[in-house]
Amino acid sequence: MPDPSRPYRTAAVIPAAGRGVRLGPGAPKALRALGGTPMLIHAVRAMAASRSVSLVVVVAPPDGAPEVKNLLDEHALPERTDYLVVPGGETRQESVRLGLDALPEDVSVVLVHDAARPLVPVETVDAVIEAVRDGAPAVVPALPLADTVKEVEPGPPGAPEPVLGTPVRARLRAVQTPQGFDRDTLVRAHKTVAVSGDGATDDAGMVEQLGAPVMVVPGHEEAFKVTRPLDLVLAEAVLARRRANDGF
């Protein structure tokens, strides 16, 4: 549980060391342009849009930290937010851990955000932070599923797969980021799960393996992950609409 005696300084860690192969060859996914600006810059601005976030740590490709630092220096970012770039690791988990290691001691609330979710609204960021400050050790934004989901026995690519069951859709959520954590809980999860070797697909899953509660707050349809070329088309459309309507 969060320690009420500690200040509620909040930092965001953005792992951006992946190559993004599903978007095709070229620059790493986080550096792909969206509306003429790298997705990473959009993601950093989305975190910095929250007045509660005082530091954003970008975890860059191991050999690309200077390039990412130059990129951040070239773009207008809120003056009230500090920025730090650190080299990442071979896996996302290792990169997040390196980002955690770089946080100042006075940070007690940590957000972990996908660089490939460049358009998350500030209201979602603030809702996650507020829930952690209210005492939740881990918080994720999520949306109800629109489609029926089937559990299957995986087979070779393209081959028919037998259905094992149909989960109750009303109990399922599609999880987004930023995920928010009490710092001590997240650090303990990374140390414990990494040592045990148990896999987890996100940071909240690592906290679950500690037996700590994870809470869900409403996500947003514009916080989708840009993974495939069609996602990039949709993101361009959302950004164009924002600029037309809100001057974003």
Side-chain angles (χ1 to χ4, degrees), residues 220-242:
H220 196 282
E221 61 183 4
E222 293 181 1
F224 61 90
K225 191 173 185 178
V226 179
T227 302
R228 298 174 176 84
L230 185 59
D231 301 326
L232 192 57
V233 173
L234 178 58
E236 292 280 5
V238 170
L239 185 59
R241 190 207 65 206
R242 287 187 182 182

Side-chain angles (χ1 to χ4, degrees), residues 1-28:
M1 296 292 290
D3 182 349
S5 67
R6 295 176 61 187
Y8 280 120
R9 189 181 182 203
T10 300
V13 174
I14 302 180
R19 298 298 303 180
V21 294
R22 280 178 286 183
L23 271 178

Side-chain angles (χ1 to χ4, degrees), residues 61-142:
D63 57 351
E67 177 187 1
V68 171
K69 176 65 166 59
N70 290 337
L71 193 68
L72 291 173
D73 290 342
E74 291 170 2
H75 290 81
L77 300 168
E79 292 184 1
R80 68 173 181 272
T81 307
D82 294 327
Y83 306 92
L84 181 64
V85 178
V86 298
E90 295 299 319
T91 65
R92 184 185 185 280
Q93 180 176 338
E94 185 179 354
S95 291
V96 172
R97 182 183 58 77
L98 290 168
L100 289 173
D101 290 345
L103 295 178
E105 288 296 324
D106 62 347
V107 170
S108 58
V109 178
V110 181
L111 303 179
V112 180
H113 183 57
D114 294 333
R117 297 184 190 270
L119 301 177
V120 57
V122 67
E123 293 81 7
T124 302
V125 180
D126 286 339
V128 171
I129 295 171
E130 182 178 359
V132 177
R133 288 181 171 180
D134 284 345
V139 178
V140 298

Side-chain angles (χ1 to χ4, degrees), residues 25-221:
K29 184 195 305 182
L31 303 185
R32 300 294 178 93
L34 172 60
T37 301
M39 278 199 293
L40 175 61
I41 298 299
H42 289 287
V44 171
R45 287 173 174 168
M47 296 299 98
S50 172
R51 293 188 175 275
S52 297
V53 175
S54 60
L55 172 67
V56 178
V57 177
V58 176
V59 187
D63 57 351
E67 177 187 1
V68 171
K69 176 65 166 59
N70 290 337
L71 193 68
L72 291 173
D73 290 342
E74 291 170 2
H75 290 81
L77 300 168
E79 292 184 1
R80 68 173 181 272
T81 307
D82 294 327
Y83 306 92
L84 181 64
V85 178
V86 298
E90 295 299 319
T91 65
R92 184 185 185 280
Q93 180 176 338
E94 185 179 354
S95 291
V96 172
R97 182 183 58 77
L98 290 168
L100 289 173
D101 290 345
L103 295 178
E105 288 296 324
D106 62 347
V107 170
S108 58
V109 178
V110 181
L111 303 179
V112 180
H113 183 57
D114 294 333
R117 297 184 190 270
L119 301 177
V120 57
V122 67
E123 293 81 7
T124 302
V125 180
D126 286 339
V128 171
I129 295 171
E130 182 178 359
V132 177
R133 288 181 171 180
D134 284 345
V139 178
V140 298
L143 293 175
L145 298 183
D147 298 321
T148 296
V149 175
K150 301 289 185 183
E151 181 183 2
V152 302
E153 182 65 42
E161 298 173 324
V163 171
L164 300 179
T166 304
V168 179
R169 187 173 63 185
R171 300 182 64 183
L172 300 177
R173 298 291 184 270
V175 174
Q176 302 174 325
T177 70
Q179 298 184 357
F181 304 90
D182 166 63
R183 177 182 181 165
D184 291 342
T185 300
L186 184 58
V187 168
R188 184 161 56 94
H190 270 266
K191 289 181 178 179
T192 303
V193 174
V195 171
S196 69
D198 295 332
T201 59
D202 65 356
D203 295 276
M206 297 172 66
V207 172
E208 288 176 49
Q209 292 186 31
L210 293 180
V214 177
M215 303 302 294
V216 171
V217 297
H220 196 282
E221 61 183 4

